[in-house]
Amino acid sequence: MSEKDKELPVGTTEPFARMHRWLQRGLFVCLVALVIEASLSLPGLLIWFGWPTLSVTEVCHELMKVRWHNDDAECLVPHPLWGDNEGTIYRDTAYDEWGIQPRPKYRGIHYRDLVTFRDERLAREAAAREAAEAQGIDVSAVAP
């Protein structure tokens, strides 16, 4: 073995040493970019869904309402350790086509649409509550 071979990393021969060095640098840059992208994904999605207006739990609740097309759907927070997932409860209310490859039929969610969806739902609930009060129905038994 020559002195140069002793300085090279294991498995690298002298003709390929420069290529391996550039590959290592490129892979390091790609890994750093992936870490940065992953660390910005959740905050970016939360802002997209309406985070400053809605809390993280409210964002989850609103996503469930859109996904399952059910105004009563909510995330289980904290989720029971051995319990069923939320999908088993609300599966019958979804408009999806179920099968080997399910096809979702829920609305697309654009920038801050969850805030709009929540405001529309709250307005519908308030109108229904006012209509019930006008008819003399006890609204205390009705969920808020």
Side-chain angles (χ1 to χ4, degrees):
M1 283 189 137
S2 68
E3 288 298 319
K4 285 187 177 180
D5 288 341
K6 290 180 181 177
E7 294 174 9
L8 297 175
V10 176
T12 302
T13 58
E14 191 173 344
F16 296 107
R18 201 170 93 190
M19 179 188 70
H20 284 182
R21 203 169 25 256
W22 279 105
L23 279 172
Q24 184 181 18
R25 291 174 186 161
L27 289 172
F28 182 73
V29 167
C30 289
L31 286 173
V32 168
L34 281 172
V35 168
I36 292 170
E37 177 193 6
S39 66
L40 296 176
S41 293
L42 182 63
L45 284 172
L46 284 175
I47 290 170
W48 180 266
F49 289 143
W51 166 67
T53 306
L54 302 174
S55 69
V56 176
T57 306
E58 288 174 325
V59 167
C60 182
H61 292 329
E62 294 302 320
L63 283 172
M64 290 287 289
K65 287 171 180 25
V66 170
R67 179 179 178 198
W68 298 114
H69 200 78
N70 183 344
D71 287 343
D72 296 329
E74 289 191 349
C75 293
L76 301 176
V77 179
H79 195 282
L81 189 58
W82 306 115
D84 293 336
N85 66 12
E86 293 96 343
T88 58
I89 302 169
Y90 304 110
R91 182 176 176 169
D92 297 334
T93 62
Y95 289 163
D96 300 346
E97 294 175 10
W98 297 100
I100 295 173
Q101 183 66 44
R103 289 182 172 43
K105 300 290 183 182
Y106 48 81
R107 298 185 275 186
I109 300 172
H110 301 289
Y111 183 69
R112 299 186 64 77
D113 269 352
L114 293 181
V115 176
T116 306
F117 296 160
R118 187 214 38 190
D119 292 344
E120 290 170 357
R121 183 177 42 78
L122 292 177
R124 280 193 316 268
E125 290 173 358
R129 198 175 302 114
E130 289 175 9
E133 287 175 356
Q135 292 178 355
I137 299 172
D138 182 24
V139 292
S140 62
V142 179

